[in-house]
Amino acid sequence: HDPTWSYRKTITIANAQVPEYQINFPVLMNFTDSDLRDNAQSDGSDIVFTATNGRVQLDHEIEKYDNSDGTLVAWVKVPQLYSLTDTTLYMYYGHGVTESQENPTGVWTNGYESVYHLNDDFEDSTDNNRDAANSGSVDAVGLLADAQDFEGTDGSDHLDLGTWNVSGDEITIQSWAKFESFSESSRLISKASSSSPDDHVYGLAMDNSGRPYFFLMLCDDDDCETSILTDSSIFESGKWNLVTGTYDGSWMRLFVNGTQVASTSDSGNLGQNNWDIYAGNN
């Protein structure tokens, strides 16, 4: 126990929650603790997470801290996350004068190109500093903290993430989303020049009946083609869902809430250009 921090709690991650062994994995901590409320600094600056030995400090990012009840939403990069045995961490708090112990960019180092929480700001949490610019979206109640509502009557509400490229033949795109209803095709994340799927380097979207789909522009030499992967089942409206598209150089895969719903074999490198990357729009 470090005597400069007055309090310490054990955090146990049950192995049943870990499908397979992970290294340097960002784990979500989401709980309400009256001891934090009563003894941590008002902004949570003195909250620290350590490895099993209680000494090695882990990188973490606080997405939300409410000192009125001790609600904490934080991401912690866990060095080793075990699937056959529980993983034990420690949380320290109760240091009256320390500066913020957060290190957001240290959490998102395993190949993350950009990460956006959309809680109070539009900053990229990685050290790539690809901060987004908001155009029309407004604050809404999110799954863990604030979210953004893209409900412009002209369908143009969006975040502009820039024009950068992802090179090579691997990519993962992931977003939490909740739709009130389905009346037209809607983009979650896309790098595109128009609303046509053929004019997208990549994208996650919903069609007008609520079916999710994932598209990629894959290139062999100078020949590029857009591949589209979709699911036959209907997305559930009025509910938060996690939508993920992955490509590993051989297969495109589409997941909803962690379950693979579609896959197809494909090959080639991701297209490269100066098209805008949007969250929202259409």
Side-chain angles (χ1 to χ4, degrees):
H1 178 79
D2 189 329
T4 58
W5 269 261
S6 300
Y7 303 94
R8 185 180 82 169
K9 286 196 173 184
T10 303
I11 295 176
T12 301
I13 302 171
N15 67 292
Q17 301 297 314
V18 184
E20 61 184 35
Y21 174 71
Q22 301 286 343
I23 296 175
N24 292 328
F25 190 85
V27 173
L28 174 66
M29 304 290 173
N30 178 27
F31 51 79
T32 299
D33 188 331
S34 59
D35 291 333
L36 281 180
R37 176 198 64 197
D38 296 338
N39 300 298
Q41 290 187 17
S42 61
D43 60 357
S45 291
D46 59 336
I47 295 173
V48 169
F49 295 91
T50 74
T52 304
N53 62 11
R55 285 294 182 182
V56 177
Q57 184 170 338
L58 306 181
D59 293 320
H60 78 278
E61 177 184 18
I62 294 178
E63 186 173 344
K64 175 185 177 181
Y65 179 65
D66 186 345
N67 67 349
S68 67
D69 62 0
T71 295
L72 176 67
V73 178
W75 299 90
V76 180
K77 186 170 74 173
V78 179
Q80 297 183 88
L81 197 58
Y82 300 104
S83 60
L84 299 179
T85 185
D86 294 348
T87 303
T88 300
L89 311 176
Y90 290 108
M91 178 180 69
Y92 288 82
Y93 57 100
H95 191 302
V97 296
T98 188
E99 296 179 351
S100 175
Q101 297 295 302
E102 282 188 90
N103 183 26
T105 60
V107 177
W108 309 100
T109 57
N110 278 7
Y112 289 91
E113 294 284 348
S114 61
V115 174
Y116 306 94
H117 300 302
L118 307 190
N119 180 38
D120 298 330
D121 59 46
F122 307 101
E123 294 180 357
D124 175 13
S125 289
T126 77
D127 61 7
N128 290 318
N129 296 317
R130 292 166 173 154
D131 296 346
N134 183 31
S135 179
S137 75
V138 297
D139 288 348
V141 176
L143 183 65
L144 300 172
D146 283 345
Q148 291 302 121
D149 187 358
F150 302 93
E151 197 177 2
T153 55
D154 59 355
S156 66
D157 286 359
H158 67 274
L159 304 179
D160 190 337
L161 312 184
T163 61
W164 43 274
N165 289 291
V166 177
S167 61
D169 62 355
E170 293 182 325
I171 191 172
T172 296
I173 310 171
Q174 186 174 73
S175 176
W176 284 99
K178 181 172 73 171
F179 287 84
E180 295 173 0
S181 62
F182 304 103
S183 59
E184 58 186 354
S185 179
S186 302
R187 305 297 193 265
L188 294 175
I189 302 173
S190 61
K191 182 177 175 65
S193 63
S194 77
S195 60
S196 169
D198 289 336
D199 293 329
H200 284 67
V201 174
Y202 53 75
L204 279 179
M206 295 287 153
D207 70 10
N208 57 10
S209 65
R211 296 184 305 166
Y213 60 99
F214 172 42
F215 40 89
L216 289 178
M217 178 186 291
L218 299 175
C219 304
D220 185 5
D221 296 325
D222 292 329
D223 182 25
C224 299
E225 292 187 2
T226 299
S227 297
I228 302 175
L229 180 63
T230 190
D231 178 28
S232 59
S233 61
I234 304 300
F235 207 68
E236 187 174 349
S237 63
K239 173 185 175 182
W240 284 101
N241 290 271
L242 182 64
V243 189
T244 309
T246 72
Y247 171 63
D248 62 6
S250 300
W251 288 87
M252 290 175 62
R253 294 181 170 90
L254 180 63
F255 298 80
V256 176
N257 297 322
T259 299
Q260 182 174 302
V261 296
S263 65
T264 186
S265 60
D266 217 327
S267 63
N269 290 323
L270 295 163
Q272 308 288 296
N273 58 37
N274 62 355
W275 293 347
D276 287 316
I277 304 169
Y278 285 161
N281 213 1
N282 296 114

